[in-house]
PDB file of all heavy atoms in Angstrom:
ATOM      1  N   PRO X   1     -82.100   4.243  22.004  1.00  0.00           N
ATOM      2  CA  PRO X   1     -80.745   3.763  21.495  1.00  0.00           C
ATOM      3  C   PRO X   1     -80.428   2.341  21.876  1.00  0.00           C
ATOM      4  O   PRO X   1     -79.439   1.744  21.258  1.00  0.00           O
ATOM      5  CB  PRO X   1     -79.783   4.785  22.182  1.00  0.00           C
ATOM      6  CG  PRO X   1     -80.587   5.935  22.555  1.00  0.00           C
ATOM      7  CD  PRO X   1     -81.979   5.397  22.760  1.00  0.00           C
ATOM      8  N   SER X   2     -81.119   1.692  22.782  1.00  0.00           N
ATOM      9  CA  SER X   2     -80.891   0.278  23.035  1.00  0.00           C
ATOM     10  C   SER X   2     -81.225  -0.673  21.923  1.00  0.00           C
ATOM     11  O   SER X   2     -80.780  -1.708  21.787  1.00  0.00           O
ATOM     12  CB  SER X   2     -81.613  -0.098  24.288  1.00  0.00           C
ATOM     13  OG  SER X   2     -81.224   0.655  25.402  1.00  0.00           O
ATOM     14  N   VAL X   3     -82.158  -0.131  21.054  1.00  0.00           N
ATOM     15  CA  VAL X   3     -82.582  -1.002  19.940  1.00  0.00           C
ATOM     16  C   VAL X   3     -82.347  -0.401  18.491  1.00  0.00           C
ATOM     17  O   VAL X   3     -82.393  -1.096  17.543  1.00  0.00           O
ATOM     18  CB  VAL X   3     -84.173  -1.291  20.068  1.00  0.00           C
ATOM     19  CG1 VAL X   3     -84.482  -1.936  21.435  1.00  0.00           C
ATOM     20  CG2 VAL X   3     -85.019  -0.052  19.916  1.00  0.00           C
ATOM     21  N   ALA X   4     -82.140   0.861  18.468  1.00  0.00           N
ATOM     22  CA  ALA X   4     -81.998   1.546  17.230  1.00  0.00           C
ATOM     23  C   ALA X   4     -80.675   2.311  17.083  1.00  0.00           C
ATOM     24  O   ALA X   4     -80.086   2.684  18.038  1.00  0.00           O
ATOM     25  CB  ALA X   4     -83.255   2.497  17.014  1.00  0.00           C
ATOM     26  N   ARG X   5     -80.396   2.705  15.895  1.00  0.00           N
ATOM     27  CA  ARG X   5     -79.223   3.684  15.638  1.00  0.00           C
ATOM     28  C   ARG X   5     -79.759   4.974  15.081  1.00  0.00           C
ATOM     29  O   ARG X   5     -80.724   4.889  14.209  1.00  0.00           O
ATOM     30  CB  ARG X   5     -78.203   3.086  14.671  1.00  0.00           C
ATOM     31  CG  ARG X   5     -77.687   1.761  15.176  1.00  0.00           C
ATOM     32  CD  ARG X   5     -76.453   1.974  16.107  1.00  0.00           C
ATOM     33  NE  ARG X   5     -76.132   0.696  16.714  1.00  0.00           N
ATOM     34  CZ  ARG X   5     -75.488  -0.304  16.127  1.00  0.00           C
ATOM     35  NH1 ARG X   5     -75.255  -0.226  14.827  1.00  0.00           N
ATOM     36  NH2 ARG X   5     -75.203  -1.468  16.704  1.00  0.00           N
ATOM     37  N   LYS X   6     -79.223   6.076  15.400  1.00  0.00           N
ATOM     38  CA  LYS X   6     -79.630   7.296  14.722  1.00  0.00           C
ATOM     39  C   LYS X   6     -78.952   7.393  13.388  1.00  0.00           C
ATOM     40  O   LYS X   6     -77.726   7.123  13.266  1.00  0.00           O
ATOM     41  CB  LYS X   6     -79.298   8.480  15.608  1.00  0.00           C
ATOM     42  CG  LYS X   6     -79.706   9.894  15.052  1.00  0.00           C
ATOM     43  CD  LYS X   6     -79.442  10.978  16.006  1.00  0.00           C
ATOM     44  CE  LYS X   6     -80.369  11.023  17.181  1.00  0.00           C
ATOM     45  NZ  LYS X   6     -80.236  12.275  17.987  1.00  0.00           N
ATOM     46  N   ILE X   7     -79.680   7.888  12.421  1.00  0.00           N
ATOM     47  CA  ILE X   7     -79.088   8.093  11.100  1.00  0.00           C
ATOM     48  C   ILE X   7     -79.606   9.494  10.676  1.00  0.00           C
ATOM     49  O   ILE X   7     -80.740   9.826  10.666  1.00  0.00           O
ATOM     50  CB  ILE X   7     -79.561   6.957  10.151  1.00  0.00           C
ATOM     51  CG1 ILE X   7     -78.850   7.014   8.810  1.00  0.00           C
ATOM     52  CG2 ILE X   7     -81.066   7.040   9.922  1.00  0.00           C
ATOM     53  CD1 ILE X   7     -78.982   5.798   7.938  1.00  0.00           C
ATOM     54  N   ALA X   8     -78.633  10.251  10.099  1.00  0.00           N
ATOM     55  CA  ALA X   8     -78.950  11.671   9.775  1.00  0.00           C
ATOM     56  C   ALA X   8     -79.646  11.631   8.392  1.00  0.00           C
ATOM     57  O   ALA X   8     -79.514  10.743   7.617  1.00  0.00           O
ATOM     58  CB  ALA X   8     -77.687  12.425   9.635  1.00  0.00           C
ATOM     59  N   SER X   9     -80.524  12.643   8.311  1.00  0.00           N
ATOM     60  CA  SER X   9     -81.273  12.891   7.075  1.00  0.00           C
ATOM     61  C   SER X   9     -80.971  14.349   6.596  1.00  0.00           C
ATOM     62  O   SER X   9     -81.077  15.269   7.427  1.00  0.00           O
ATOM     63  CB  SER X   9     -82.758  12.667   7.317  1.00  0.00           C
ATOM     64  OG  SER X   9     -83.493  12.969   6.115  1.00  0.00           O
ATOM     65  N   GLY X  10     -80.666  14.492   5.319  1.00  0.00           N
ATOM     66  CA  GLY X  10     -80.352  15.796   4.782  1.00  0.00           C
ATOM     67  C   GLY X  10     -81.317  16.276   3.803  1.00  0.00           C
ATOM     68  O   GLY X  10     -81.052  17.319   3.104  1.00  0.00           O
ATOM     69  N   ALA X  11     -82.446  15.625   3.682  1.00  0.00           N
ATOM     70  CA  ALA X  11     -83.413  15.968   2.651  1.00  0.00           C
ATOM     71  C   ALA X  11     -84.832  15.682   3.072  1.00  0.00           C
ATOM     72  O   ALA X  11     -85.052  15.244   4.225  1.00  0.00           O
ATOM     73  CB  ALA X  11     -83.074  15.256   1.318  1.00  0.00           C
ATOM     74  N   LYS X  12     -85.767  15.680   2.189  1.00  0.00           N
ATOM     75  CA  LYS X  12     -87.169  15.357   2.532  1.00  0.00           C
ATOM     76  C   LYS X  12     -87.337  13.919   2.911  1.00  0.00           C
ATOM     77  O   LYS X  12     -88.213  13.645   3.748  1.00  0.00           O
ATOM     78  CB  LYS X  12     -88.004  15.647   1.301  1.00  0.00           C
ATOM     79  CG  LYS X  12     -89.512  15.478   1.457  1.00  0.00           C
ATOM     80  CD  LYS X  12     -90.264  15.778   0.284  1.00  0.00           C
ATOM     81  CE  LYS X  12     -91.791  15.592   0.478  1.00  0.00           C
ATOM     82  NZ  LYS X  12     -92.593  15.900  -0.792  1.00  0.00           N
ATOM     83  N   SER X  13     -86.502  13.041   2.408  1.00  0.00           N
ATOM     84  CA  SER X  13     -86.516  11.653   2.678  1.00  0.00           C
ATOM     85  C   SER X  13     -85.225  11.010   2.560  1.00  0.00           C
ATOM     86  O   SER X  13     -84.312  11.541   1.984  1.00  0.00           O
ATOM     87  CB  SER X  13     -87.574  10.964   1.783  1.00  0.00           C
ATOM     88  OG  SER X  13     -87.141  11.079   0.372  1.00  0.00           O
ATOM     89  N   ASN X  14     -85.072   9.751   3.105  1.00  0.00           N
ATOM     90  CA  ASN X  14     -83.904   8.987   2.850  1.00  0.00           C
ATOM     91  C   ASN X  14     -84.159   7.687   1.990  1.00  0.00           C
ATOM     92  O   ASN X  14     -85.253   7.130   2.123  1.00  0.00           O
ATOM     93  CB  ASN X  14     -83.331   8.418   4.253  1.00  0.00           C
ATOM     94  CG  ASN X  14     -82.569   9.531   4.952  1.00  0.00           C
ATOM     95  OD1 ASN X  14     -82.714  10.725   4.715  1.00  0.00           O
ATOM     96  ND2 ASN X  14     -81.708   9.138   5.904  1.00  0.00           N
ATOM     97  N   THR X  15     -83.215   7.344   1.154  1.00  0.00           N
ATOM     98  CA  THR X  15     -83.454   6.141   0.408  1.00  0.00           C
ATOM     99  C   THR X  15     -82.451   5.021   0.867  1.00  0.00           C
ATOM    100  O   THR X  15     -81.258   5.321   1.062  1.00  0.00           O
ATOM    101  CB  THR X  15     -83.090   6.472  -1.029  1.00  0.00           C
ATOM    102  OG1 THR X  15     -84.059   7.497  -1.543  1.00  0.00           O
ATOM    103  CG2 THR X  15     -83.331   5.256  -1.940  1.00  0.00           C
ATOM    104  N   TYR X  16     -82.963   3.818   1.134  1.00  0.00           N
ATOM    105  CA  TYR X  16     -82.237   2.786   1.823  1.00  0.00           C
ATOM    106  C   TYR X  16     -81.961   1.607   0.921  1.00  0.00           C
ATOM    107  O   TYR X  16     -82.166   0.488   1.233  1.00  0.00           O
ATOM    108  CB  TYR X  16     -82.822   2.314   3.100  1.00  0.00           C
ATOM    109  CG  TYR X  16     -82.945   3.446   4.168  1.00  0.00           C
ATOM    110  CD1 TYR X  16     -83.947   4.365   4.233  1.00  0.00           C
ATOM    111  CD2 TYR X  16     -81.899   3.586   5.059  1.00  0.00           C
ATOM    112  CE1 TYR X  16     -83.981   5.286   5.183  1.00  0.00           C
ATOM    113  CE2 TYR X  16     -81.911   4.478   6.053  1.00  0.00           C
ATOM    114  CZ  TYR X  16     -82.965   5.389   6.124  1.00  0.00           C
ATOM    115  OH  TYR X  16     -83.093   6.411   7.128  1.00  0.00           O
ATOM    116  N   GLU X  17     -81.468   1.842  -0.374  1.00  0.00           N
ATOM    117  CA  GLU X  17     -81.299   0.733  -1.271  1.00  0.00           C
ATOM    118  C   GLU X  17     -80.160  -0.220  -0.762  1.00  0.00           C
ATOM    119  O   GLU X  17     -80.109  -1.327  -1.050  1.00  0.00           O
ATOM    120  CB  GLU X  17     -81.001   1.302  -2.681  1.00  0.00           C
ATOM    121  CG  GLU X  17     -79.644   1.959  -2.930  1.00  0.00           C
ATOM    122  CD  GLU X  17     -79.608   3.356  -2.473  1.00  0.00           C
ATOM    123  OE1 GLU X  17     -80.673   3.920  -2.120  1.00  0.00           O
ATOM    124  OE2 GLU X  17     -78.613   4.039  -2.602  1.00  0.00           O
ATOM    125  N   TRP X  18     -79.283   0.374   0.074  1.00  0.00           N
ATOM    126  CA  TRP X  18     -78.119  -0.431   0.586  1.00  0.00           C
ATOM    127  C   TRP X  18     -78.539  -1.537   1.538  1.00  0.00           C
ATOM    128  O   TRP X  18     -77.791  -2.513   1.807  1.00  0.00           O
ATOM    129  CB  TRP X  18     -77.128   0.532   1.280  1.00  0.00           C
ATOM    130  CG  TRP X  18     -77.700   1.417   2.303  1.00  0.00           C
ATOM    131  CD1 TRP X  18     -78.099   2.595   2.155  1.00  0.00           C
ATOM    132  CD2 TRP X  18     -77.829   1.045   3.685  1.00  0.00           C
ATOM    133  NE1 TRP X  18     -78.624   3.121   3.324  1.00  0.00           N
ATOM    134  CE2 TRP X  18     -78.429   2.235   4.312  1.00  0.00           C
ATOM    135  CE3 TRP X  18     -77.395  -0.081   4.515  1.00  0.00           C
ATOM    136  CZ2 TRP X  18     -78.668   2.260   5.773  1.00  0.00           C
ATOM    137  CZ3 TRP X  18     -77.753   0.020   5.826  1.00  0.00           C
ATOM    138  CH2 TRP X  18     -78.353   1.187   6.451  1.00  0.00           C
ATOM    139  N   LEU X  19     -79.822  -1.464   2.011  1.00  0.00           N
ATOM    140  CA  LEU X  19     -80.255  -2.436   3.011  1.00  0.00           C
ATOM    141  C   LEU X  19     -80.388  -3.899   2.342  1.00  0.00           C
ATOM    142  O   LEU X  19     -80.400  -4.903   3.042  1.00  0.00           O
ATOM    143  CB  LEU X  19     -81.640  -2.059   3.639  1.00  0.00           C
ATOM    144  CG  LEU X  19     -81.530  -0.875   4.623  1.00  0.00           C
ATOM    145  CD1 LEU X  19     -82.921  -0.615   5.036  1.00  0.00           C
ATOM    146  CD2 LEU X  19     -80.689  -1.350   5.817  1.00  0.00           C
ATOM    147  N   SER X  20     -80.438  -3.917   0.970  1.00  0.00           N
ATOM    148  CA  SER X  20     -80.517  -5.125   0.303  1.00  0.00           C
ATOM    149  C   SER X  20     -79.215  -5.947   0.280  1.00  0.00           C
ATOM    150  O   SER X  20     -79.180  -7.134  -0.205  1.00  0.00           O
ATOM    151  CB  SER X  20     -81.050  -4.969  -1.160  1.00  0.00           C
ATOM    152  OG  SER X  20     -80.139  -4.257  -1.845  1.00  0.00           O
ATOM    153  N   MET X  21     -78.125  -5.349   0.830  1.00  0.00           N
ATOM    154  CA  MET X  21     -76.888  -6.034   0.800  1.00  0.00           C
ATOM    155  C   MET X  21     -76.363  -6.191   2.171  1.00  0.00           C
ATOM    156  O   MET X  21     -75.676  -5.425   2.712  1.00  0.00           O
ATOM    157  CB  MET X  21     -75.790  -5.205  -0.029  1.00  0.00           C
ATOM    158  CG  MET X  21     -76.252  -4.970  -1.477  1.00  0.00           C
ATOM    159  SD  MET X  21     -74.983  -4.080  -2.377  1.00  0.00           S
ATOM    160  CE  MET X  21     -75.036  -2.431  -1.646  1.00  0.00           C
ATOM    161  N   PHE X  22     -76.723  -7.363   2.807  1.00  0.00           N
ATOM    162  CA  PHE X  22     -76.259  -7.685   4.159  1.00  0.00           C
ATOM    163  C   PHE X  22     -74.669  -7.959   4.068  1.00  0.00           C
ATOM    164  O   PHE X  22     -74.130  -8.789   3.368  1.00  0.00           O
ATOM    165  CB  PHE X  22     -76.847  -8.935   4.711  1.00  0.00           C
ATOM    166  CG  PHE X  22     -76.752  -9.173   6.238  1.00  0.00           C
ATOM    167  CD1 PHE X  22     -77.720  -8.701   7.060  1.00  0.00           C
ATOM    168  CD2 PHE X  22     -75.623  -9.632   6.700  1.00  0.00           C
ATOM    169  CE1 PHE X  22     -77.564  -8.777   8.405  1.00  0.00           C
ATOM    170  CE2 PHE X  22     -75.477  -9.826   8.070  1.00  0.00           C
ATOM    171  CZ  PHE X  22     -76.427  -9.390   8.941  1.00  0.00           C
ATOM    172  N   PRO X  23     -73.784  -7.163   4.779  1.00  0.00           N
ATOM    173  CA  PRO X  23     -72.394  -7.241   4.648  1.00  0.00           C
ATOM    174  C   PRO X  23     -71.834  -8.487   5.193  1.00  0.00           C
ATOM    175  O   PRO X  23     -71.977  -8.936   6.316  1.00  0.00           O
ATOM    176  CB  PRO X  23     -71.926  -6.092   5.522  1.00  0.00           C
ATOM    177  CG  PRO X  23     -72.981  -5.795   6.513  1.00  0.00           C
ATOM    178  CD  PRO X  23     -74.246  -6.165   5.847  1.00  0.00           C
ATOM    179  N   MET X  24     -71.101  -9.226   4.343  1.00  0.00           N
ATOM    180  CA  MET X  24     -70.437 -10.520   4.715  1.00  0.00           C
ATOM    181  C   MET X  24     -69.151 -10.657   3.884  1.00  0.00           C
ATOM    182  O   MET X  24     -69.072 -10.228   2.709  1.00  0.00           O
ATOM    183  CB  MET X  24     -71.292 -11.774   4.353  1.00  0.00           C
ATOM    184  CG  MET X  24     -72.493 -11.796   5.233  1.00  0.00           C
ATOM    185  SD  MET X  24     -73.344 -13.435   4.976  1.00  0.00           S
ATOM    186  CE  MET X  24     -72.177 -14.608   5.518  1.00  0.00           C
ATOM    187  N   PHE X  25     -68.071 -11.193   4.500  1.00  0.00           N
ATOM    188  CA  PHE X  25     -66.861 -11.434   3.729  1.00  0.00           C
ATOM    189  C   PHE X  25     -66.875 -12.846   3.184  1.00  0.00           C
ATOM    190  O   PHE X  25     -67.612 -13.679   3.684  1.00  0.00           O
ATOM    191  CB  PHE X  25     -65.648 -11.335   4.692  1.00  0.00           C
ATOM    192  CG  PHE X  25     -64.953 -10.014   4.769  1.00  0.00           C
ATOM    193  CD1 PHE X  25     -65.659  -8.940   5.313  1.00  0.00           C
ATOM    194  CD2 PHE X  25     -63.780  -9.827   4.196  1.00  0.00           C
ATOM    195  CE1 PHE X  25     -65.041  -7.659   5.373  1.00  0.00           C
ATOM    196  CE2 PHE X  25     -63.198  -8.523   4.108  1.00  0.00           C
ATOM    197  CZ  PHE X  25     -63.784  -7.468   4.785  1.00  0.00           C
ATOM    198  N   ARG X  26     -66.165 -13.048   2.005  1.00  0.00           N
ATOM    199  CA  ARG X  26     -65.907 -14.396   1.495  1.00  0.00           C
ATOM    200  C   ARG X  26     -64.490 -14.413   0.987  1.00  0.00           C
ATOM    201  O   ARG X  26     -63.806 -13.408   0.801  1.00  0.00           O
ATOM    202  CB  ARG X  26     -66.920 -14.485   0.176  1.00  0.00           C
ATOM    203  CG  ARG X  26     -66.665 -13.364  -0.747  1.00  0.00           C
ATOM    204  CD  ARG X  26     -67.562 -13.471  -1.940  1.00  0.00           C
ATOM    205  NE  ARG X  26     -67.281 -14.574  -2.887  1.00  0.00           N
ATOM    206  CZ  ARG X  26     -66.400 -14.413  -3.913  1.00  0.00           C
ATOM    207  NH1 ARG X  26     -65.720 -13.283  -4.118  1.00  0.00           N
ATOM    208  NH2 ARG X  26     -66.124 -15.441  -4.599  1.00  0.00           N
ATOM    209  N   GLU X  27     -64.001 -15.637   0.792  1.00  0.00           N
ATOM    210  CA  GLU X  27     -62.664 -15.819   0.293  1.00  0.00           C
ATOM    211  C   GLU X  27     -62.482 -15.350  -1.146  1.00  0.00           C
ATOM    212  O   GLU X  27     -63.415 -15.775  -2.016  1.00  0.00           O
ATOM    213  CB  GLU X  27     -62.161 -17.243   0.436  1.00  0.00           C
ATOM    214  CG  GLU X  27     -60.742 -17.411  -0.065  1.00  0.00           C
ATOM    215  CD  GLU X  27     -60.278 -18.868   0.120  1.00  0.00           C
ATOM    216  OE1 GLU X  27     -61.151 -19.760   0.411  1.00  0.00           O
ATOM    217  OE2 GLU X  27     -59.088 -19.012  -0.090  1.00  0.00           O
ATOM    218  N   TRP X  28     -61.530 -14.581  -1.548  1.00  0.00           N
ATOM    219  CA  TRP X  28     -61.298 -14.129  -2.870  1.00  0.00           C
ATOM    220  C   TRP X  28     -60.146 -14.942  -3.488  1.00  0.00           C
ATOM    221  O   TRP X  28     -58.950 -14.705  -3.188  1.00  0.00           O
ATOM    222  CB  TRP X  28     -61.004 -12.679  -2.832  1.00  0.00           C
ATOM    223  CG  TRP X  28     -60.948 -11.866  -4.179  1.00  0.00           C
ATOM    224  CD1 TRP X  28     -61.101 -12.572  -5.425  1.00  0.00           C
ATOM    225  CD2 TRP X  28     -60.664 -10.604  -4.339  1.00  0.00           C
ATOM    226  NE1 TRP X  28     -60.944 -11.516  -6.372  1.00  0.00           N
ATOM    227  CE2 TRP X  28     -60.665 -10.336  -5.782  1.00  0.00           C
ATOM    228  CE3 TRP X  28     -60.377  -9.478  -3.618  1.00  0.00           C
ATOM    229  CZ2 TRP X  28     -60.511  -9.180  -6.343  1.00  0.00           C
ATOM    230  CZ3 TRP X  28     -60.207  -8.187  -4.139  1.00  0.00           C
ATOM    231  CH2 TRP X  28     -60.196  -8.056  -5.542  1.00  0.00           C
ATOM    232  N   VAL X  29     -60.507 -16.001  -4.156  1.00  0.00           N
ATOM    233  CA  VAL X  29     -59.525 -16.884  -4.685  1.00  0.00           C
ATOM    234  C   VAL X  29     -58.964 -16.370  -5.952  1.00  0.00           C
ATOM    235  O   VAL X  29     -57.705 -16.310  -6.074  1.00  0.00           O
ATOM    236  CB  VAL X  29     -60.156 -18.318  -4.885  1.00  0.00           C
ATOM    237  CG1 VAL X  29     -59.123 -19.255  -5.479  1.00  0.00           C
ATOM    238  CG2 VAL X  29     -60.681 -18.861  -3.574  1.00  0.00           C
ATOM    239  N   SER X  30     -59.763 -16.095  -6.934  1.00  0.00           N
ATOM    240  CA  SER X  30     -59.239 -15.587  -8.219  1.00  0.00           C
ATOM    241  C   SER X  30     -60.379 -14.810  -8.907  1.00  0.00           C
ATOM    242  O   SER X  30     -61.538 -14.716  -8.481  1.00  0.00           O
ATOM    243  CB  SER X  30     -58.824 -16.751  -9.101  1.00  0.00           C
ATOM    244  OG  SER X  30     -59.945 -17.585  -9.379  1.00  0.00           O
ATOM    245  N   GLY X  31     -60.051 -14.162 -10.029  1.00  0.00           N
ATOM    246  CA  GLY X  31     -61.005 -13.373 -10.699  1.00  0.00           C
ATOM    247  C   GLY X  31     -61.318 -12.057 -10.047  1.00  0.00           C
ATOM    248  O   GLY X  31     -60.661 -11.651  -9.167  1.00  0.00           O
ATOM    249  N   SER X  32     -62.534 -11.479 -10.425  1.00  0.00           N
ATOM    250  CA  SER X  32     -62.852 -10.210  -9.908  1.00  0.00           C
ATOM    251  C   SER X  32     -63.619 -10.430  -8.647  1.00  0.00           C
ATOM    252  O   SER X  32     -64.038 -11.548  -8.160  1.00  0.00           O
ATOM    253  CB  SER X  32     -63.786  -9.508 -10.976  1.00  0.00           C
ATOM    254  OG  SER X  32     -64.976 -10.206 -11.140  1.00  0.00           O
ATOM    255  N   ARG X  33     -63.940  -9.304  -7.974  1.00  0.00           N
ATOM    256  CA  ARG X  33     -64.782  -9.332  -6.764  1.00  0.00           C
ATOM    257  C   ARG X  33     -66.133  -9.777  -7.092  1.00  0.00           C
ATOM    258  O   ARG X  33     -66.547  -9.774  -8.259  1.00  0.00           O
ATOM    259  CB  ARG X  33     -64.853  -7.835  -6.172  1.00  0.00           C
ATOM    260  CG  ARG X  33     -63.587  -7.334  -5.586  1.00  0.00           C
ATOM    261  CD  ARG X  33     -63.798  -5.956  -5.103  1.00  0.00           C
ATOM    262  NE  ARG X  33     -62.591  -5.368  -4.484  1.00  0.00           N
ATOM    263  CZ  ARG X  33     -62.301  -5.487  -3.139  1.00  0.00           C
ATOM    264  NH1 ARG X  33     -63.241  -5.956  -2.360  1.00  0.00           N
ATOM    265  NH2 ARG X  33     -61.185  -4.934  -2.670  1.00  0.00           N
TER     266      ARG X  33
END
């Protein structure tokens, strides 16, 4: 646990497509997100 986080799995495998989006905030001046 010093280096990793536990993540639950509810099936044969897990899909990690969300890893391609490193979370960061930006100023929302106008227009859409």
